[in-house]
């Protein structure tokens, strides 16, 4: 591809960032030919030529000069329609839409092969941190044991306000909303869904396995309470919302999103505010750490620009790991050690703990620490939504295959 003519879908936070970085990117040899938005009458950046804007998808999809679609809209269903139409017509796509990708990746991978079109989406997982392409290319071997990290900037910002600046959870949430780090309905972020969708995409490129969202245990930070914060502080730890995929044996891996107690010896302990951090652990090299801005207009646009440049050099994901023999299988038959704080709901008798190692009861709140199967947590997932309950993981390595020390 010599000159790239872009059809841009979406001109919000990310779309405007792309417009801005492309004006500066001399080596991209890429120009935006048309921008499709939802509401064409909305006031826009003053230097945007009005002729660039349209609200008709066909103005981009039917334009024979446009050879790359960049899709950054906030509607997953409409994004699915745009991306599949483009791929079917053999037009390459760059997307940042994790919600759409996490639900439809198997079909989108198949369509890329069938219609010989490429779909790149590094911006969908961790904004400016190049996780996907690194997992796809550099970590293309059997040594990878675990990918784990803080994948959601909004919830991390809130937890940082609590642990580093002494705010209550309610104050921190208000603060995050005022600064634009959390939506008016923050469920997508603090409920763990954003991190889950990123984790699903990461797992496809880490282990060559797709697992549908509804099969994965996802638990957010919305029920966190002063008692949990106090408990973490007493143990000199922070609570972070952590997403992880980990091999538990040669033949199996597990994955989940949940709050975790994190001590100062862990890399992610120092990932604060709206930042993201990803730890990649493997045999022979122990742990590696990637840190950076996981969201925001320009950080995300920089990742999109990288995908645009990659297409200029005909780069595409080959999904090599999906064709490997002996790929590990997804399992929830793993034991976690969790902290469960509860009020009136009788957690010790309702959750089928294999072993209880600590129990504390007081007038205000109670907690129990014990071992439980991930499959049992999934089976009791609805119970855990009760507002007097909060659970968090006490992390440990699932596999001791690290031979570096
Ligand atoms: N924000 C981030 O930091 C970030 C980071 C990584 C990935 N992403 C992903 O990037 C995507 C966009 O995020 P954003 O924060 O830029 O969203 P945003 O600020 O809410 O902007 C959304 C844009 O999409 C347009 N739009 C919505 N539905 C449309 C449709 N059916 N057809 C055409 N245009 C449509 C809107 O048009 P109007 O302007 O007319 O309303 C708006 O310009 C999302 O998938 C998000 O998950 C965002």
């Amino acid at each position: 591809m010599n000159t790239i003519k872009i059809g841009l879908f979406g001109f919000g936070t990310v779309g405007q960032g792309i417009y801005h970085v492309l004006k500066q990117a001399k080596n991209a040899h890429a120009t935006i030919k048309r921008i499709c938005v939802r509401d064409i009458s909305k006031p826009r950046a003053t230097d945007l030529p009005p002729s660039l804007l349209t609200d008709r998808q066909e103005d981009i999809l039917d334009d024979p000069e446009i050879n790359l679609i960049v899709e950054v809209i906030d509607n997953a269903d409409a994004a699915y329609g745009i991306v599949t139409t483009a791929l079917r017509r053999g037009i390459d796509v760059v997307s940042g839409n994790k919600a759409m990708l996490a639900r439809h990746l198997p079909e989108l991978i198949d369509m890329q092969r069938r219609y010989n079109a490429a779909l790149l989406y590094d911006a969908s997982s961790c904004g400016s941190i190049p996780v996907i392409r690194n997992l796809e290319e550099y970590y293309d071997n059997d040594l990878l044991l675990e990918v784990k990290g803080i994948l959601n900037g909004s919830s991390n910002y809130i937890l940082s306000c609590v642990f580093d600046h002494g705010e209550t959870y309610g104050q921190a949430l208000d603060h995050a909303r005022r600064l634009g780090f959390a939506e008016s309905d923050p469920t997508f972020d603090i409920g763990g869904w954003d991190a889950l969708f990123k984790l699903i995409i990461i797992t496809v490129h880490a282990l060559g396995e797709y697992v549908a969202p509804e099969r994965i245990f996802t638990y957010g930070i919305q029920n966190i309470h002063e008692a949990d914060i106090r408990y973490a502080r007493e143990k000199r730890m922070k609570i972070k919302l952590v997403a992880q995929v980990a091999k538990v044996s040669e033949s199996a891996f597990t994955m989940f999103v949940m709050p975790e107690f994190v001590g100062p010896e862990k890399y992610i302990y120092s990932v604060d505010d709206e930042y993201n951090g990803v730890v990649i652990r493997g045999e022979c090299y122990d742990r590696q750490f990637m840190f950076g801005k996981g969201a925001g207009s320009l950080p995300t646009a920089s990742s999109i620009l990288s995908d645009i440049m990659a297409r200029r050099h005909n780069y595409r994901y080959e999904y090599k790991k999906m064709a490997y023999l002996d790929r590990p299988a997804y399992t929830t038959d793993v034991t976690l050690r969790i902290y469960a704080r509860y009020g009136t709901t009788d957690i010790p008798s309702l959750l089928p703990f294999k072993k209880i190692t600590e129990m504390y009861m007081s007038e205000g709140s109670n907690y129990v620490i014990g071992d439980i199967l991930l499959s049992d947590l999934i089976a009791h997932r609805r119970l855990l939504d009760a507002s007097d309950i909060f659970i968090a993981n006490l992390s440990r390595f699932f596999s001791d295959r690290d031979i570096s020390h």
Side-chain angles (χ1 to χ4, degrees):
M1 197 185 286
N2 281 329
T3 310
I4 301 180
K5 288 237 171 5
I6 295 171
L8 176 63
F9 281 91
F11 199 65
T13 307
V14 181
Q16 291 175 48
I18 295 166
Y19 181 72
H20 184 78
V21 297
L22 270 176
K23 281 204 286 192
Q24 296 176 9
K26 305 273 179 290
N27 290 305
H29 300 283
T31 50
I32 296 177
K33 178 142 194 245
R34 213 76 202 270
I35 303 172
C36 180
V37 291
R38 177 178 33 205
D39 176 5
I40 202 164
S41 64
K42 225 181 193 178
R44 307 280 167 181
T46 44
D47 69 339
L48 184 72
S51 59
L52 275 188
L53 280 183
T54 177
D55 56 2
R56 290 161 30 97
Q57 294 186 5
E58 316 84 82
D59 287 346
I60 288 181
L61 292 167
D62 293 345
D63 183 336
E65 271 191 17
I66 287 177
N67 51 11
L68 184 71
I69 303 279
V70 175
E71 179 280 304
V72 282
I73 70 171
D74 59 345
N75 175 328
D77 292 336
Y80 172 77
I82 293 161
V83 171
T84 50
T85 305
L87 291 177
R88 251 188 232 108
R89 295 182 187 186
I91 310 171
D92 297 334
V93 182
V94 172
S95 171
N97 205 316
K98 59 221 124 189
M100 183 274 294
L101 292 159
R103 289 206 178 91
H104 299 288
L105 259 181
E107 184 192 357
L108 295 171
I109 293 169
D110 182 55
M111 290 180 86
Q112 290 177 69
R113 293 190 178 122
R114 200 145 24 110
Y115 300 106
N116 190 26
L119 171 63
L120 299 182
Y121 42 80
D122 225 303
S124 66
S125 301
C126 301
S128 67
I129 312 177
V131 181
I132 303 296
R133 221 178 306 157
N134 271 297
L135 287 170
E136 178 74 19
E137 304 302 337
Y138 180 82
Y139 297 94
D140 183 22
N141 55 49
D142 294 328
L143 301 179
L144 195 67
L145 294 177
E146 182 179 86
V147 183
K148 165 171 183 170
I150 294 170
L151 310 185
N152 178 258
S154 314
S155 54
N156 201 48
Y157 184 84
I158 292 166
L159 291 172
S160 279
C161 287
V162 167
F163 281 96
D164 302 329
H165 308 294
E167 295 182 14
T168 64
Y169 178 75
Q171 287 167 336
L173 181 57
D174 281 349
H175 199 158
R177 278 193 182 124
R178 271 201 312 279
L179 291 177
F181 291 133
E183 305 289 327
S184 48
D185 173 10
T187 318
F188 188 65
D189 294 313
I190 65 173
W193 304 110
D194 175 78
L196 169 72
F197 294 148
K198 292 168 178 170
L199 183 67
I200 291 170
I201 299 167
I202 282 173
T203 301
V204 165
H205 293 275
L207 300 179
E209 285 290 334
Y210 170 80
V211 185
E214 56 278 7
R215 298 181 62 206
I216 303 166
F217 183 75
T218 307
Y219 189 79
I221 58 166
Q222 59 268 54
N223 286 357
I224 199 168
H225 185 273
E226 282 307 309
D228 312 313
I229 295 161
R230 208 167 40 242
Y231 177 87
R233 284 216 181 97
E234 278 166 10
K235 307 279 177 200
R236 299 187 184 287
M237 294 199 272
K238 294 177 182 175
I239 296 172
K240 297 279 191 191
L241 181 59
V242 176
Q244 57 190 297
V245 51
K247 278 191 197 149
V248 296
S249 69
E250 283 290 331
S251 58
F253 74 97
T254 195
M255 62 200 288
F256 53 90
V257 178
M258 67 189 287
E260 179 170 315
F261 290 103
V262 179
E265 73 287 358
K266 298 282 169 67
Y267 288 123
I268 56 173
Y269 182 86
S270 341
V271 177
D272 286 325
D273 302 324
E274 74 275 28
Y275 283 83
N276 283 190
V278 181
V279 179
I280 297 175
R281 194 167 74 91
E283 248 174 282
C284 308
Y285 52 80
D286 192 13
R287 285 173 299 160
Q288 299 176 345
F289 180 47
M290 297 172 91
F291 170 83
K293 290 206 165 171
S297 180
L298 293 179
T300 309
S302 75
S303 176
I304 298 268
L305 174 66
S306 175
D307 278 351
I308 294 170
M309 298 288 279
R311 270 316 297 152
R312 212 172 116 65
H313 298 290
N314 285 323
Y315 177 80
R316 61 194 302 152
Y317 305 134
E318 289 178 41
Y319 303 97
K320 297 181 279 281
K321 296 176 196 176
M322 292 189 118
Y324 286 176
L325 300 173
D326 299 328
R327 294 195 318 272
Y330 174 55
T331 181
T332 54
D333 186 19
V334 292
T335 303
L336 305 184
R337 177 156 295 178
I338 64 158
Y339 156 100
R341 193 251 315 144
Y342 57 100
T344 50
T345 312
D346 187 11
I347 277 293
S349 54
L350 290 172
L351 277 187
F353 283 102
K354 287 164 80 175
K355 181 168 89 179
I356 286 182
T357 57
E358 197 179 322
M359 214 165 169
Y360 171 83
M361 298 181 85
S362 72
E363 267 191 30
S365 75
N366 321 298
Y367 71 78
V368 58
I369 291 177
D371 295 351
I372 188 164
L373 281 174
L374 181 57
S375 53
D376 282 332
L377 278 181
I378 292 173
H380 293 79
R381 179 62 192 80
R382 290 187 107 184
L383 167 74
L384 303 173
D385 281 332
S387 59
D388 66 327
I389 296 174
F390 176 74
I391 67 161
N393 186 28
L394 290 143
S395 139
R396 46 192 180 176
F397 287 153
F398 291 107
S399 151
D400 273 326
R401 275 172 59 201
D402 189 352
I403 53 170
S404 66
H405 58 150

